[in-house]
Amino acid sequence: MTEVLPPLNAAILVGNGLSIAFNPELNLAAITKEMIARMESATEDGDKVVHAMNEIARRAVSEGEVTDEDFEKLVGAFDSQVLTLDELSKLADLVAREDTDLRKSIQDVAAFSQKVRDMGISYVLEVIMERSRGDWTLHDEMHQLVEAIIDSFGGNIHIGNLNYDTLLLSALKAVDAPMSDMGHGYSQFSIKVKDEDDPDDEGVPYIVTRLRTVANFPAGPRYRVKLLHLHGSLTYWHSVESDLHFKAPVDLLRNHSMWAGLRDSEPKFRPTVVLANQRDKAHHVGRYPFRLAYETFQKGLHESQHWMVIGYSFRDACVNDILRNEFIRRKVKPQVLVSTYGDFPTTEEVELAFGWGAEDESSSHWLTINREGARGLQESVDWAVFTS
């Protein structure tokens, strides 16, 4: 009698290398250059927010050739100002409860800092949104990779996506993947979006979906793929007044100037994203909704014997922590396929991220690194061995 094996589960971590493979315009260095150019062109005499934003950019990004690392330096610089003032406000509550002048000064500076952050992040996400439109040929190749993943693993598939763009979401929808994400499909409400500063304009209504507050993902074959944006998405927003987090439809973002709204007025909604440097990132991912996404992806790692890492540099300490913690606790190590392009990250860097040290034996029995890039990965010998 032939033994029927259970379907394979998989945990897949996706970094910027996947987006670049199927849309080269999403290269972080290129995005950073475009952000700086737009911020410089926005400079107006007497605009203190714009001046502060450009001064932060000047200090964060060194002169000369812009690199991928400059992206995190720049976006992290905008975020760290707000975190510093949050701590200052807490201190003022403790030492100066009766000093209304001090409180007012801190509130004014905090509001100014938040405005600078809103403007900086608006340029980041605006550029990424515009560049999320890709070449149809490359999109078709991405669809083939996504289909291969779904076909090769018949069990549960947890995808931890570190990208803000909508490429992977679009590919999963295009192939009719049996998926769910952080959006709660049965919890929706309507918002109105205005583009003009016209008091008589009632706005355009859109139905948006609340983000899950607990891990109540639907079960069963129809929802066996879970897409988890670990650091947020272009489509994730929250209400400034109520702090209610929701997933916006892509056509809302394409048809309305949500990014300009962050720059030009007191915004009603702000993006729900982690745009921070390594020092501050842990502060964000420990909070809702990112904590829920991390915990769900960690559960996917725990349930899977096959881990795939596509286009990730292994430089994010928070992400490395969950990989390493789950990997170390296992006696039988998972099979790991890393897809990258070129010589980096090195084998030693990958091993170190998983907690595999120089004193351990060869990693070849659990680790395979394919250095040909994500395009055509599903047709490689490494893929065939990994999925067999």
Side-chain angles (χ1 to χ4, degrees):
M1 182 176 179
T2 303
E3 181 183 3
V4 178
L5 298 177
L8 297 177
N9 295 336
I12 302 170
L13 179 66
V14 172
N16 185 242
L18 178 74
S19 294
I20 295 172
F22 298 103
N23 187 338
E25 289 189 348
L26 288 169
N27 175 280
L28 292 181
I31 290 173
T32 305
K33 288 181 180 179
E34 179 63 21
M35 287 162 48
I36 293 172
R38 293 190 186 192
M39 287 188 291
E40 289 177 344
S41 66
T43 302
E44 298 177 4
D45 292 338
D47 192 327
K48 296 178 181 179
V49 173
V50 172
H51 177 76
M53 179 187 65
N54 279 285
E55 185 63 22
I56 289 172
R58 186 186 67 80
R59 295 185 181 187
V61 180
S62 57
E63 294 184 5
E65 186 63 25
V66 175
T67 67
D68 285 0
E69 287 73 20
D70 287 323
F71 176 83
E72 185 173 277
K73 292 178 184 176
L74 180 54
V75 299
F78 290 124
D79 186 74
S80 62
Q81 314 300 319
V82 176
L83 288 180
T84 299
L85 285 165
D86 283 345
E87 294 303 314
L88 187 59
S89 296
K90 293 176 184 177
L91 180 62
D93 287 340
L94 293 175
V95 302
R97 294 181 180 178
E98 305 302 323
D99 192 334
T100 56
D101 289 339
L102 176 59
R103 282 173 173 274
K104 179 63 167 58
S105 297
I106 292 175
Q107 290 171 356
D108 289 344
V109 175
F112 178 80
S113 183
Q114 180 64 63
K115 189 65 179 176
V116 173
R117 181 181 186 272
D118 284 342
M119 183 170 285
I121 286 180
S122 75
Y123 284 111
V124 178
L125 298 180
E126 182 178 53
V127 172
I128 294 174
M129 185 73 207
E130 291 175 2
R131 297 185 176 207
S132 289
R133 300 177 184 271
D135 178 272
W136 283 109
T137 301
L138 292 181
H139 272 194
D140 184 60
E141 291 185 27
M142 187 174 185
H143 298 167
Q144 292 173 29
L145 173 60
V146 170
E147 283 186 313
I149 291 172
I150 295 171
D151 292 342
S152 298
F153 300 97
N156 293 321
I157 302 173
H158 288 72
I159 304 176
N161 188 10
L162 298 173
N163 300 307
Y164 310 104
D165 61 62
T166 58
L167 292 189
L168 184 53
L169 173 63
S170 297
L172 286 164
K173 287 186 174 181
V175 303
D176 197 23
M179 64 165 284
S180 62
D181 61 10
M182 289 286 289
H184 195 304
Y186 295 103
S187 184
Q188 298 178 324
F189 60 98
S190 178
I191 64 171
K192 288 187 176 181
V193 181
K194 297 181 180 181
D195 286 329
E196 305 293 338
D197 294 329
D198 181 356
D200 297 325
D201 180 12
E202 296 184 357
V204 179
Y206 281 90
I207 299 298
V208 299
T209 304
R210 294 175 190 260
L211 294 189
R212 301 178 193 278
T213 56
V214 294
N216 56 349
F217 294 87
R222 291 178 55 200
Y223 303 101
R224 63 188 184 85
V225 179
K226 292 180 177 60
L227 176 62
L228 306 162
H229 287 93
L230 300 181
H231 295 161
S233 165
L234 289 169
T235 61
Y236 289 6
W237 291 73
H238 63 273
S239 166
V240 173
E241 294 182 356
S242 65
D243 201 36
L244 176 66
H245 294 257
F246 61 88
K247 177 185 174 185
V250 174
D251 60 332
L252 182 158
L253 304 178
R254 295 206 186 280
N255 296 337
H256 299 276
S257 302
M258 298 289 282
W259 327 108
L262 283 176
R263 298 191 288 266
D264 299 336
S265 62
E266 292 297 324
K268 293 180 60 179
F269 309 109
R270 286 195 175 105
T272 299
V273 291
V274 176
L275 282 166
N277 55 37
Q278 288 298 316
R279 181 191 64 201
D280 298 328
K281 193 167 289 184
H283 169 81
H284 292 285
V285 302
R287 302 169 65 181
Y288 172 81
F290 313 109
R291 181 175 179 176
L292 177 59
Y294 265 71
E295 289 175 347
T296 305
F297 183 62
Q298 188 163 13
K299 181 175 182 289
L301 291 169
H302 179 73
E303 294 177 351
S304 303
Q305 190 57 29
H306 289 74
W307 296 3
M308 192 183 313
V309 181
I310 305 177
Y312 171 56
S313 66
F314 289 92
R315 293 176 181 169
D316 192 308
C318 296
V319 175
N320 288 352
D321 282 347
I322 63 171
L323 293 175
R324 183 171 54 255
N325 291 341
E326 178 60 28
F327 184 86
I328 288 176
R329 71 160 205 87
R330 292 196 180 196
K331 290 183 178 180
V332 178
K333 303 305 181 186
Q335 291 298 301
V336 180
L337 174 61
V338 174
S339 169
T340 187
Y341 187 74
D343 297 332
F344 298 98
T346 65
T347 300
E348 292 74 19
E349 288 173 328
V350 175
E351 291 174 339
L352 182 61
F354 283 101
W356 193 261
E359 71 280 2
D360 295 309
E361 60 190 51
S362 170
S363 61
S364 59
H365 65 285
W366 61 268
L367 175 62
T368 301
I369 302 179
N370 181 289
R371 299 189 179 277
E372 301 302 316
R375 292 178 61 187
L377 173 65
Q378 72 278 8
E379 299 172 358
S380 68
V381 173
D382 291 332
W383 176 275
V385 173
F386 178 68
T387 58
S388 61

